[in-house]
């Protein structure tokens, strides 16, 4: 079977002129499923040809516009023609457009408001940035050329250049304020590291976080430290985007990195941040696991283990109930009985349990010391229906940074490259890149994080 695909203009005065776009032929025998419908190359060719025919027709239409002069209002005539090569989602098109000149005053106009040196459409720019935000530049370039008749700017280097440009634009974008104000907002800031490709530094510090409202509004933000990106400005914009007003109560959670507090203050969150329960619970969990692994091969040890397991539970209860000061008592009691595990033999792969417990308790102790000013009565907050932290913090770092820039793939980053790509990734997750992607977040419930239930 053979078909001719014809594009027919349907405006009243066009007289139904048509342009043959493409001939498609296919066997009528459907015995082989591979014969069913268009192939990928045909689909790509079809899109590319329809695009060029459409653009040519649009260029013809543009000529007829004949604008009035911007300075004197007189009639314009065509001065000369310019050929533009523009990369689109469906192939690179050639567009011949006129420049006009005023008949009376000689003023020139192009009648197009394209950005200077415009070589691609916003649609293509956005898709390139979106794919690059989700996968390595090389893979993104492959996906793009595999599925679409995109034929220009598909090298990983070009894709990177375009993506970073979009990242720069996203960084400067103003907040889009919602119609309704938020009564309470939780802000979480955390830091993580990626590998640097620059000489003299091994890692780059990345600060990430999110803001959440009680009704499920959420925005993520992130920036690499010591770049042109102002993290405080990003936090301020995120707060405004979810509806912060002068009456909003903002509560901040951090993991204790000292620089984060001044950043929060700069963003207008002046109340001192609370130590995130999630980070404490994680450390306590390590101690509990180590305690439950202690050996009971001697009568004295069995007794000591029972006492230690109970003390670690008490430690958890004390911190959860805002009695972290008494945690020292618990730690002392554990230390006193630890000597019976001297010479304890470890498992070949998991190590010596008592040494692990010692290490885990040391971690808890250190954390309590460094965070003492920021510990609160978590139980009380929890009972009042307030957040005690957020288990999504680690998740935020994970999906914003690690999944694209992670350690596993041994990727190395430049400070600027990582920072601007991060702006694109945040925009993708916030649903702010282009239209039609929508918000990728599910509204989260207002109840406490899962780890709080362990308390
Ligand atoms: Zn004029």
């Amino acid at each position: 079977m053979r078909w001719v695909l014809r594009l027919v203009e349907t405006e009243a005065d066009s007289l139904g002129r048509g342009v043959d776009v493409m001939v498609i032929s296919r066997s009528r025998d459907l015995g082989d499923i591979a014969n069913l419908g268009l192939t990928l190359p045909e689909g790509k060719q079809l899109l590319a040809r329809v695009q060029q025919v459409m653009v040519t027709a649009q260029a013809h239409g543009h000529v007829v516009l004949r604008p009035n002069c911007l300075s004197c209002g007189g009639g314009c005539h065509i001065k000369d023609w310019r050929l533009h090569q523009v990369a689109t989602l469906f192939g690179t098109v050639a567009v011949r457009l006129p420049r006009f000149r005023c008949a009376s005053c000689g003023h020139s106009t192009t009648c197009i408001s394209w950005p200077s040196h415009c070589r691609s459409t916003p649609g293509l720019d956005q898709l390139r940035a979106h794919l690059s935000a989700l996968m390595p530049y090389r893979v993104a370039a492959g996906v793009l050329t595999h599925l679409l008749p995109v034929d220009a700017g598909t090298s990983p280097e070009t894709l990177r250049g375009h993506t970073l440009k979009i990242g720069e634009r996203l960084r400067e974008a103003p907040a889009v304020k919602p119609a309704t104000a938020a009564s309470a907002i939780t802000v979480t800031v955390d830091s993580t590291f990626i590998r640097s490709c620059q000489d003299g530094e091994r890692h780059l510090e990345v600060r990430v976080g999110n803001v959440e409202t009680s009704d499920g509004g959420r925005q993520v933000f992130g920036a690499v430290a010591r770049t042109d990106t102002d993290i405080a400005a990003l936090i301020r914009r995120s707060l405004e985007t979810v509806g912060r007003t002068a009456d909003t109560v903002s509560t901040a959670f951090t993991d204790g990195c000292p620089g984060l507090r001044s950043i929060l203050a700069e963003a207008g969150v002046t109340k001192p941040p609370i130590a995130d329960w999630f980070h404490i619970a994680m450390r306590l969990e390590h101690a509990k696991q180590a305690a439950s692994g202690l050996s009971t091969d001697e009568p004295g040890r069995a007794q000591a283990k029972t006492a230690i397991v109970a003390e670690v539970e008490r430690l958890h209860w004390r911190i959860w109930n805002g009695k972290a000061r008494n945690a020292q008592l618990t730690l002392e009691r554990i230390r006193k009985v630890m000597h019976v595990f001297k010479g304890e033999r470890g498992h070949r792969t998991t190590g010596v349990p008592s040494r692990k417990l010692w290490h885990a308790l040391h971690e808890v102790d250190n954390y309590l010391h460094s965070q003492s000013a920021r510990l609160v009565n978590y139980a009380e907050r929890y009972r009042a229906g307030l957040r005690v932290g957020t288990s999504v913090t680690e998740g935020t770092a994970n999906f914003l940074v690690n999944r694209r820039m992670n350690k596993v793939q041994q990727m190395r980053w430049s400070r600027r490259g990582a920072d601007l790509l991060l702006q694109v990734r945040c925009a993708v997750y916030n649903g702010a890149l282009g239209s039609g992607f929508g918000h990728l977040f599910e509204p989260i419930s207002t109840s406490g994080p899962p780890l709080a239930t362990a308390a």
Side-chain angles (χ1 to χ4, degrees):
M1 295 175 91
R2 269 168 71 88
W3 299 268
V4 171
L5 193 80
R6 183 171 295 162
L7 208 62
V8 181
E9 209 181 317
T10 56
E11 256 169 46
D13 58 350
S14 67
L15 308 168
R17 281 173 311 217
V19 182
D20 289 359
V21 173
M22 191 173 151
V23 176
I24 305 162
S25 42
R26 183 61 32 86
S27 163
R28 62 177 73 241
D29 176 12
L30 282 185
D32 184 353
I33 185 122
N35 288 335
L36 194 65
L38 289 170
T39 61
L40 180 59
E42 281 167 347
K44 285 166 73 173
Q45 196 178 34
L46 186 148
L47 287 168
R49 292 198 182 168
V50 170
Q51 183 80 323
Q52 184 61 66
V53 170
M54 252 183 80
V55 166
T56 308
Q58 283 180 300
H60 280 299
H62 186 86
V63 175
V64 187
L65 288 179
R66 296 294 162 99
N68 285 332
C69 175
L70 288 172
S71 352
C72 75
C76 289
H77 58 78
I78 293 172
K79 180 181 152 199
D80 57 9
W81 295 83
R82 279 289 160 97
L83 190 69
H84 302 261
Q85 296 277 353
V86 183
T88 76
L89 279 168
F90 309 114
T92 300
V93 291
V95 202
R96 216 167 142 262
L97 290 176
R99 290 197 298 180
F100 301 99
R101 198 208 307 265
C102 172
S104 30
C105 79
H107 188 87
S108 289
T109 175
T110 53
C111 232
I112 49 175
S113 60
W114 299 5
S116 56
H117 308 297
C118 175
R119 297 263 167 73
S120 52
T121 55
L124 177 60
D125 293 343
Q126 265 168 25
L127 185 66
R128 282 194 283 218
H130 191 145
L131 291 178
S132 303
L134 301 176
M135 52 192 93
Y137 294 117
R138 194 166 297 280
V139 182
V143 169
L144 206 58
T145 46
H146 186 72
L147 295 177
L148 291 171
V150 171
D151 43 15
T154 53
S155 78
E157 292 74 26
T158 317
L159 221 59
R160 178 178 182 272
H162 281 284
T163 305
L164 300 192
K165 218 178 277 176
I166 295 260
E168 245 164 17
R169 226 179 295 156
L170 287 166
R171 182 175 63 184
E172 312 304 334
V176 182
K177 294 178 188 174
T180 48
S183 57
I185 303 178
T186 310
V187 192
T188 313
V189 196
D190 206 348
S191 45
T192 182
F193 291 88
I194 52 172
R195 288 161 67 94
S196 166
C197 69
Q198 277 147 349
D199 286 340
E201 53 183 10
R202 288 184 59 194
H203 293 104
L204 301 175
E205 188 188 357
V206 188
R207 284 136 180 189
V208 291
N210 55 278
V211 299
E212 293 161 57
T213 62
S214 46
D215 57 2
R218 189 173 170 202
Q219 289 278 306
V220 293
F221 53 84
V224 176
R226 294 195 283 126
T227 55
D228 292 338
T229 304
D230 179 1
I231 182 92
L234 293 184
I235 298 175
R236 219 176 298 128
R237 180 176 71 185
S238 305
L239 289 166
E240 283 169 14
T241 306
V242 295
R244 176 171 70 170
T245 65
D247 302 325
T248 305
V249 179
S250 307
T251 310
F253 291 94
T254 68
D255 73 335
C257 177
L260 300 177
R261 184 171 171 181
S262 58
I263 289 172
L264 282 163
E266 218 183 301
V269 184
T270 46
K271 258 201 310 186
I274 297 173
D276 198 325
W277 175 252
F278 177 75
H279 288 274
I280 307 167
M282 218 169 48
R283 285 168 173 85
L284 286 168
E285 199 50 42
H286 289 160
K288 277 185 204 180
Q289 275 171 16
S292 69
L294 289 170
S295 18
T296 51
D297 49 358
E298 292 169 19
R301 284 184 176 174
Q303 206 182 351
K305 179 181 175 175
T306 310
I308 288 170
V309 167
E311 283 300 335
V312 174
E313 275 305 327
R314 189 166 300 154
L315 185 65
H316 187 144
W317 185 90
R318 281 183 159 148
I319 303 169
W320 174 247
N321 285 284
K323 299 181 195 321
R325 277 166 209 281
N326 300 341
Q328 283 308 321
L329 292 176
T330 311
L331 291 167
E332 275 312 309
R333 275 184 216 151
I334 295 174
R335 281 183 191 122
K336 261 180 208 154
V337 290
M338 282 293 279
H339 66 88
V340 300
F341 293 99
K342 212 170 193 178
E344 183 191 26
R345 262 198 264 148
H347 189 267
R348 243 184 316 132
T349 50
T350 55
V352 184
S354 54
R355 203 173 297 158
K356 277 172 68 185
L357 176 64
W358 197 252
H359 182 73
L361 290 174
H362 188 68
E363 287 276 292
V364 173
D365 196 17
N366 268 354
Y367 196 75
L368 293 180
H369 268 295
S370 66
Q371 304 301 311
S372 59
R374 309 191 305 109
L375 297 169
V376 297
N377 188 332
Y378 295 94
E380 197 178 87
R381 279 188 69 85
Y382 185 65
R383 281 194 297 269
L386 298 169
R387 300 294 291 257
V388 292
T390 156
S391 53
V392 295
T393 334
E394 297 290 295
T396 310
N398 222 354
F399 72 64
L400 270 178
V401 181
N402 301 345
R403 265 187 223 161
R404 172 72 174 85
M405 309 172 166
N406 66 20
K407 302 131 193 172
V408 183
Q409 293 183 48
Q410 298 293 307
M411 288 182 175
R412 289 167 173 276
W413 298 87
S414 75
R415 207 170 268 283
R416 178 175 171 272
D419 180 62
L420 294 177
L421 179 65
L422 190 56
Q423 303 314 313
V424 181
R425 271 184 81 75
C426 288
V428 167
Y429 284 105
N430 290 334
L433 185 71
S435 56
F437 292 127
H439 284 257
L440 299 182
F441 293 122
E442 293 288 325
I444 45 167
S445 74
T446 51
S447 64
L451 279 165
T453 54

